[in-house]
Amino acid sequence: QVQLQESGPGLVKPSQTLSLTCTVSGGSITANYHYWSWIRQPPGKGLEWIGYSSSRDITFYNPSLRSRTSISRDTSKNQFTLHLSSVTPEDAGVYYCVLLTVESGRSWGSWGQGTQVTVSS
């Protein structure tokens, strides 16, 4: 059973870089058909996809965020990390790491519990 756990600062100042790490247990971030993703939900709004890193370490980002977004991974620790630069108060919300699996014509997701991020000086 795959489990994901987000960790990182709950508070970041405007213009700084937000870094959140997802630790994976029960599965490998190098496994085929897996897309290791970040999704966020601002207060009172819907879910917004941020980006993913595939099992082959191919990354892709939401076009609205790609200029200040990167996702890296550490295979020895079975972790992947979101870096979001130049944050503003609009970047506040709950951030989730999500495993998206696409295989044999089906897709499904496994979600972390989420972590609250506040942007304030």
Side-chain angles (χ1 to χ4, degrees):
Q1 182 179 358
V2 176
Q3 294 183 322
L4 300 89
Q5 177 65 60
E6 303 90 346
S7 62
L11 176 66
V12 63
K13 295 181 178 180
S15 80
Q16 293 185 336
T17 295
L18 170 67
S19 295
L20 298 173
T21 294
C22 183
T23 300
V24 178
S25 61
S28 173
I29 63 173
T30 63
N32 290 337
Y33 313 114
H34 289 358
Y35 299 82
W36 303 95
S37 310
W38 287 96
I39 297 171
R40 69 181 183 181
Q41 186 170 32
K45 298 183 179 180
L47 297 171
E48 180 182 34
W49 174 71
I50 300 171
Y52 69 72
S53 173
S54 77
S55 60
R56 296 183 293 177
D57 200 23
I58 304 299
T59 55
F60 190 77
Y61 309 113
N62 186 325
S64 68
L65 300 171
R66 65 165 57 110
S67 65
R68 56 191 186 99
T69 304
S70 67
I71 299 175
S72 61
R73 71 181 193 177
D74 186 336
T75 57
S76 67
K77 298 180 179 179
N78 220 30
Q79 295 177 330
F80 62 103
T81 299
L82 169 70
H83 304 278
L84 183 65
S85 66
S86 303
V87 300
T88 72
E90 286 68 43
D91 293 312
V94 179
Y95 284 70
Y96 302 90
C97 56
V98 184
L99 167 61
L100 301 177
T101 302
V102 181
E103 185 178 7
S104 300
R106 299 189 303 119
S107 64
W108 63 94
S110 299
W111 291 66
Q113 66 181 10
T115 186
Q116 177 71 52
V117 174
T118 299
V119 180
S120 176
S121 60

